[in-house]
Amino acid sequence: MGKKAERINVLSPLSLRELGAWLKEYPAAVFMAGGSDLIQKYNEHPHAGIPDTVISLSQIDELGRIKRKEQGIEIGACVPMSRILSTGQNIVPRILLDAIARIATPSVRNLATIGGNICMVSPFSDVLVPLVLLEAKLEIRGPASHFWMPLTRFLRTPGRMPLLSSEILASVAIPVIQPDVQVYRKLEVISIPTLSVLTFAAMARIFRNTVTDFRIVYGGLDPLFMRNRELESSVTGRKIPLSLKFREQYEQKTREFIQECDPGFLPDRYHRNSAIRLTRLFLEKVSTYRTD
Ligand SMILES: Cc1cc2nc3c(=O)[nH]c(=O)nc-3n(C[C@H](O)[C@H](O)[C@H](O)COP(=O)(O)OP(=O)(O)OC[C@H]3O[C@@H](n4cnc5c(N)ncnc54)[C@H](O)[C@@H]3O)c2cc1C
């Protein structure tokens, strides 16, 4: 990208093969999926340097599919949020559907793709924290590469994808887990001088009054998320209802954990306190879950 382009060359390959051919000819091209972020960025900052060539990924057949697999589902990177909501009701984990349903408006969800939301590597993206909770993996493709990586590795540096400029996110693999108790919340404060956000995603599975799986992921600014597996495993195997004493101890350890996190993670005290409060409420919800 350099000076402001007067005319943008937009290419729309129909297959990954065709994409590879265009990339050889235009190695400096910028990828676009739904365009909801990219177009807004160039509208707001027209002097930031509009690229000469944009490759639209939205017509590539392989990137627009939702596939059922033995261990879960694979969602193509260019599947719009609205289609995940309409066709994924019975196969996509509820916590991800809840997160997608709160994204902006139906018209934004018609454009915005799941891949674009991930590729922003933004603390304000709604799908990231639920996908970390579900332990999603990403399929990456490039002219000379094809591999999978855990989403957690993709999210190491806020605002920057760990990909070569010729590589794309092709799909997201999500193990299908239907938890018995789940919560998704996003609390934002965008004010001067504070820029802060808290995303909270939690799930538990309960079998015969015993907690068999318990996870909480906290989303913040930098790092983008935190998870304490040691604390989580202290709940697994416990009978419900959880005792008040245990819940209070868990809350105290969460307080210490949040306080010890990098100061850039949840810079706002309101969000640090909210993380502890949401944890307490989630423990209460798990504790009062009825299996019969
Ligand atoms: C009015 C408005 C409200 C919004 N509200 C919310 C909200 O509430 N919650 C929320 O989470 N988001 C929100 N967003 C952000 C936005 O909708 C998402 O981030 C969207 O999912 C981006 O997807 P896209 O397909 O439009 O990406 P694009 O704009 O096409 O691309 C975004 C970036 O990702 C890159 N990219 C896209 N796909 C790929 C790929 N497959 N491989 C490699 N690189 C790729 C592009 O090069 C670009 O840099 C909002 C946006 C707008 C305009």
Side-chain angles (χ1 to χ4, degrees):
M1 285 198 278
K3 61 181 174 17
K4 186 180 171 189
E6 288 179 0
R7 188 176 291 220
I8 303 174
N9 184 21
V10 180
L11 306 168
S12 278
L14 300 176
S15 65
L16 289 172
R17 207 184 151 96
E18 198 184 334
L19 170 67
W22 283 124
L23 275 172
K24 276 193 193 135
E25 207 167 324
Y26 298 98
V30 167
F31 297 125
M32 181 172 81
S36 67
D37 271 315
L38 206 64
I39 292 171
Q40 177 167 297
K41 180 174 135 192
Y42 293 130
N43 279 339
E44 285 176 3
H45 308 284
H47 301 293
I50 296 179
D52 295 329
T53 305
V54 168
I55 299 185
S56 165
L57 303 174
S58 62
Q59 301 302 312
I60 298 179
D61 187 45
E62 296 97 317
L63 306 184
R65 301 178 188 151
I66 300 182
K67 290 187 267 186
R68 253 183 215 264
K69 295 276 171 163
E70 208 173 302
Q71 294 177 336
I73 49 162
E74 272 175 40
I75 304 179
C78 287
V79 175
M81 301 295 190
S82 55
R83 188 143 69 83
I84 300 176
L85 285 181
S86 60
T87 61
Q89 284 299 325
N90 297 321
I91 49 171
V92 174
R94 166 73 29 209
I95 195 155
L96 182 59
L97 294 173
D98 288 350
I100 291 175
R102 78 166 301 290
I103 294 178
T105 56
S107 54
V108 172
R109 293 197 293 268
N110 280 340
L111 282 178
T113 63
I114 187 164
N117 202 269
I118 295 169
C119 288
M120 295 300 292
V121 199
S122 160
F124 299 97
S125 293
D126 269 282
V127 303
L128 296 185
V129 174
L131 285 175
V132 170
L133 186 86
L134 294 163
E135 299 179 349
K137 290 195 170 65
L138 305 182
E139 182 189 17
I140 310 299
R141 280 182 178 269
S145 53
H146 180 203
F147 59 97
W148 289 86
M149 68 157 79
L151 172 66
T152 48
R153 186 140 64 85
F154 194 86
L155 301 180
R156 277 190 190 150
T157 311
R160 221 178 63 214
M161 287 192 289
L163 300 186
L164 301 174
S165 60
S166 58
E167 287 175 334
I168 59 159
L169 168 61
S171 71
V172 190
I174 306 168
V176 169
I177 305 168
Q178 290 300 5
D180 299 294
V181 189
Q182 59 205 308
V183 169
Y184 174 76
R185 293 278 182 279
K186 189 162 107 179
L187 309 177
E188 294 178 60
V189 176
I190 307 171
S191 61
I192 295 167
T194 314
L195 171 71
S196 187
V197 63
L198 165 70
T199 314
F200 178 92
M203 55 160 263
R205 281 193 287 178
I206 295 159
F207 182 66
R208 291 191 180 145
N209 287 331
T210 302
V211 181
T212 57
D213 190 0
F214 184 90
R215 307 179 194 178
I216 299 181
V217 178
Y218 306 91
L221 284 185
D222 185 4
L224 285 170
F225 68 92
M226 293 296 293
R227 183 175 174 184
N228 187 327
R229 287 176 189 267
E230 201 183 317
L231 264 181
E232 289 175 9
S233 62
S234 71
V235 186
T236 310
R238 283 190 180 264
K239 290 269 181 208
I240 56 165
L242 302 166
S243 70
L244 178 62
K245 188 174 168 211
F246 175 76
R247 284 185 277 135
E248 284 174 351
Q249 281 171 347
Y250 194 102
E251 185 179 330
Q252 179 52 31
K253 285 182 186 157
T254 302
R255 191 179 303 281
E256 289 161 14
F257 169 64
I258 296 288
Q259 274 163 1
E260 283 163 14
C261 286
D262 190 295
F265 176 55
L266 294 174
D268 194 275
R269 190 150 60 98
Y270 165 70
H271 284 147
R272 290 195 295 276
N273 289 339
S274 300
I276 297 157
R277 185 173 49 83
L278 286 168
T279 304
R280 183 195 320 132
L281 293 175
F282 181 65
L283 280 169
E284 279 170 24
K285 203 169 170 180
V286 170
S287 199
T288 52
Y289 178 77
R290 295 187 65 88
T291 41
D292 45 302

